[in-house]
Amino acid sequence: MSESAPPLSDAAQRVQDALRARGFAHTVVELAIPVRTARDAADAVGCDVAQIVKSLVLRGETTGRGVLVETCGVNRVDLAKVAAACGEPVAMANPKFVREATGFAIGGIPPLGHATEMLTLIDRDLLALSGLWAAAGHPNSLFKLEPAELVAMTGGTVTEVA
Ligand code: 5CA
């Protein structure tokens, strides 16, 4: 890290540590402004909205387990397709569930480094792209990664979710 780089927020540092612990050299960057949506994030880093990875937490309605869906920034998740992939009906999780399942607040949910293990699905549309950006724990923080790295770091199943 350069000496002039300001320290990361605690949540972003946890994601940086999770990356390092799993052998990934990716660097979490902290922006001067918060980017809570894929559109804001794309504008801030200068990429297409499609290249922003949205990390959405759903809840399995039968088991109550958390389901993490890594989706392409331009896609809208189809709950029926997610349900088919996880074998039970699912609904969007509420903010409290999201925080307990991941350890992070909505707007900064990262693909890895979560408080609990969740079934993870990856939008197959992401695999056709390169130069993705994912949230890194905090609304101001992101890191750049390739689709194959997203699959490797999450252990997720690539499937149709949109
Ligand atoms: N930092 C940005 C760009 S990486 C980010 O985290 N975007 S995101 O798409 O991954 O996270 C925002 C998403 O959180 C929204 O698309 C929405 O699906 C979800 N969300 C927002 N409000 C709620 C809520 N009240 N309950 C559940 N999910 C929510």
Side-chain angles (χ1 to χ4, degrees), residues 1-9 13 16-17 20 25 27-30:
M1 185 169 42
S2 115
E3 283 182 359
S4 59
L8 295 173
S9 65
Q13 187 62 50
Q16 182 67 80
D17 292 346
R20 292 237 174 85
T27 299
V28 171
V29 297
E30 197 132 302

Side-chain angles (χ1 to χ4, degrees), residues 9-19 99 102-104 113 137:
S9 65
D10 171 69
Q13 187 62 50
R14 279 192 280 141
V15 176
Q16 182 67 80
D17 292 346
L19 283 163
R99 181 175 269 290
T102 66
F104 301 95

Side-chain angles (χ1 to χ4, degrees), residues 9-140:
S9 65
D10 171 69
Q13 187 62 50
R14 279 192 280 141
V15 176
Q16 182 67 80
D17 292 346
L19 283 163
R20 292 237 174 85
R22 300 186 62 169
F24 293 101
H26 301 67
T27 299
V28 171
V29 297
E30 197 132 302
L31 307 174
I33 51 156
V35 289
R36 291 192 169 80
T37 66
R39 171 84 262 167
D40 289 350
D43 289 346
V45 301
C47 70
D48 293 335
V49 179
Q51 289 166 284
I52 301 297
V53 180
K54 295 193 288 192
S55 297
L56 307 179
V57 179
L58 286 69
R59 181 177 172 278
E61 296 195 286
T62 307
T63 60
R65 69 179 167 174
V67 177
L68 180 71
V69 180
E70 298 293 314
T71 192
C72 175
V74 292
N75 283 350
R76 228 187 125 78
V77 165
D78 181 334
L79 295 182
K81 286 179 182 165
V82 175
C86 45
E88 62 177 314
V90 293
M92 290 302 292
N94 67 39
K96 179 170 180 278
F97 185 94
V98 174
R99 181 175 269 290
E100 287 172 359
T102 66
F104 301 95
I106 288 167
I109 306 301
L112 78 169
H114 304 127
T116 68
E117 248 186 63
M118 288 172 283
L119 172 68
T120 302
L121 304 177
I122 299 175
D123 186 340
R124 67 177 189 185
D125 289 352
L126 287 170
L127 275 289
L129 305 173
S130 65
L132 306 178
W133 288 86
H138 186 275
N140 291 51

